């Protein structure tokens, strides 16, 4: 066991060292048990054994004590190396994270050049929209014969309101309550047909309906009761319901393109522009990058440390 632990004492992971500590603690427990047994053997033979035999018992007790001391030393060494391994692994993880952050930062800084190119492309998009809007406004003011008005380029970014649209309409016969013949009962299969006649009246009223030839039945309710029902003709409509649209604000009201670096040009600031005004803004050249003025040396005086102490 000692040889195995000594082998592990080299560069090992914290997990390997933790396992070695557990094994070394078991070795220590065994050695301490051997010491106790050797002491008991020595004490038990003090009055009966000769000196030669007692020296053998004493040597066994000494050997067992040495084993205990060695096991404790190994555990101490393992625990120290375990702490060092944990810290080394943590430091390695910190170094990996640090190196990764440096790598990503270098990549991101190179991408700042891409940002400038992308900002100019977005300015191109805004210019195309403004030019199209100017042309649409001019065309709509003087439409060709029979031509429909043109929509703005950014209209496709919004979704219009959709109103109720009937897609199918058909006549169906359904069971309905006699007291409310405008609405069919929910579960048509629960109706038990009782009679088909030329003229049928409710047992409660002679005025519930004024036309004959209807089918009569009884509807079983959820509670197990029955309600008198009659067949009625309904118009069944299948329709698409209303759907509220969504309006997208013009890009020039939302897009903001700040400088890539301090002193660089502002590529675009959002605002409310009429199409000609937006074109005029985009036609303005971007200002040059501001160059920081060269610093000139200046002089100041402060008391030296000794002079400051003396003054205090």
């Amino acid at each position: 066991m000692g040889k195995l632990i000594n082998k592990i004492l080299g560069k090992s992971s914290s997990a390997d060292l933790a396992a070695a500590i557990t094994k070394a603690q078991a070795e220590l427990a065994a050695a301490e048990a051997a010491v106790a047994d050797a002491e008991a053997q020595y004490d038990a033979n003090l009055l009966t054994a000769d000196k030669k035999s007692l020296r053998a018992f004493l040597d066994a007790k000494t050997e067992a004590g040495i084993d205990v001391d060695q096991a404790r030393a190994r555990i101490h060494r393992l625990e120290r190396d375990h702490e060092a391994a944990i810290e080394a692994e943590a430091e390695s993880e910190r170094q990996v994270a640090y190196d990764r952050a440096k790598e990503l930062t270098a990549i991101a800084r190179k991408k700042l050049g891409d940002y400038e190119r992308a900002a100019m492309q977005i300015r191109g998009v805004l210019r195309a929209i403004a030019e199209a809007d100017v042309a649409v406004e001019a065309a709509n003011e003087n439409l060709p014969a029979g031509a429909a008005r043109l929509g703005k380029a950014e209209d496709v970014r919004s979704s219009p309101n959709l109103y109720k649209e009937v897609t199918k309409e058909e006549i169906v016969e359904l069971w309905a309550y006699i007291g409310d013949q405008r609405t069919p009962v929910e579960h048509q299969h629960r109706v038990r047909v009782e009679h088909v006649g030329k003229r049928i009246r409710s047992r409660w009223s002679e005025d519930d309906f004024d036309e004959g030839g209807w089918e009569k039945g009884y509807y079983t309710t959820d509670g197990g009761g029955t309600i008198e029902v009659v067949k009625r003709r309904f118009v069944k409509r299948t329709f698409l319901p209303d759907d509220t649209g969504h309006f997208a604000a013009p890009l020039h009201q939302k897009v903001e393109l700040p400088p890539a670096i301090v002193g660089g040009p502002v590529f675009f600031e959002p605002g409310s522009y009429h199409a000609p005004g937006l074109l005029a803004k985009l036609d303005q050249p971007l200002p040059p990058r501001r160059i920081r003025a060269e610093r000139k040396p200046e002089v100041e005086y402060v008391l030296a440390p000794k002079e400051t102490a003396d003054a205090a």
Side-chain angles (χ1 to χ4, degrees), residues 125-126 129 133 151-160 245-255:
V125 172
L126 296 175
I129 292 172
D133 287 350
K152 296 292 184 68
E154 287 193 84
D155 287 350
V156 295
R157 298 181 55 238
S158 299
S159 58
H246 301 279
F247 173 73
L251 288 176
H252 64 255
Q253 294 182 8
K254 298 296 183 180
V255 169

Side-chain angles (χ1 to χ4, degrees), residues 201-224:
R201 296 186 183 278
S202 167
R203 58 178 172 169
W204 296 292
S205 171
E206 291 290 325
D207 302 322
D208 284 335
F209 49 87
D210 55 9
E211 293 183 11
W214 288 345
E215 216 172 340
K216 185 174 77 171
Y218 290 95
Y219 175 72
T220 303
T221 65
D222 291 338

Side-chain angles (χ1 to χ4, degrees), residues 234-265:
F234 291 91
V235 177
K236 178 182 177 182
R237 292 191 182 99
T238 303
F239 65 92
L240 299 175
D242 291 343
D243 185 23
T244 303
H246 301 279
F247 173 73
L251 288 176
H252 64 255
Q253 294 182 8
K254 298 296 183 180
V255 169
E256 182 175 3
L257 301 173
I261 60 175
V262 173

Side-chain angles (χ1 to χ4, degrees), residues 148-209:
R149 290 181 61 83
L150 296 173
K152 296 292 184 68
E154 287 193 84
D155 287 350
V156 295
R157 298 181 55 238
S158 299
S159 58
N161 292 334
L162 300 176
Y163 301 102
K164 181 177 178 179
E165 178 184 352
V166 176
T167 60
K168 185 178 180 182
E169 189 170 286
E170 57 186 322
I171 302 297
V172 296
E173 289 188 352
L174 298 171
W175 295 103
Y177 298 119
I178 290 181
D180 180 11
Q181 298 178 20
R182 294 171 300 176
T183 306
V185 297
E186 181 178 3
H187 304 290
Q188 293 285 309
H189 65 279
R190 292 187 183 180
V191 176
R192 175 174 54 84
V193 180
E194 181 180 85
H195 178 68
V196 177
K198 293 182 179 180
R199 186 170 180 80
I200 303 171
R201 296 186 183 278
S202 167
R203 58 178 172 169
W204 296 292
S205 171
E206 291 290 325
D207 302 322
D208 284 335
F209 49 87

Side-chain angles (χ1 to χ4, degrees), residues 79-182:
E79 289 175 340
R80 185 185 65 188
D81 289 354
H82 182 247
E83 292 178 359
I86 291 175
E87 176 56 30
E89 289 167 0
E91 178 63 19
S92 177
E93 292 176 358
R94 288 192 291 268
Q95 187 65 50
V96 169
Y98 181 81
D99 293 341
R100 178 60 175 163
K102 284 180 64 178
E103 178 186 358
L104 292 176
T105 300
I107 293 172
R109 286 175 176 169
K110 290 181 180 179
K111 289 291 183 181
L112 286 175
D114 294 340
Y115 166 75
E116 292 187 358
R117 289 188 289 274
M120 294 303 295
Q121 290 177 343
I122 293 174
R123 283 174 60 91
V125 172
L126 296 175
R127 175 182 293 279
I129 292 172
E131 289 174 347
D133 287 350
V134 168
V136 166
E137 289 178 5
N140 284 340
E141 290 178 359
N142 190 20
L143 289 170
R149 290 181 61 83
L150 296 173
K152 296 292 184 68
E154 287 193 84
D155 287 350
V156 295
R157 298 181 55 238
S158 299
S159 58
N161 292 334
L162 300 176
Y163 301 102
K164 181 177 178 179
E165 178 184 352
V166 176
T167 60
K168 185 178 180 182
E169 189 170 286
E170 57 186 322
I171 302 297
V172 296
E173 289 188 352
L174 298 171
W175 295 103
Y177 298 119
I178 290 181
D180 180 11
Q181 298 178 20
R182 294 171 300 176

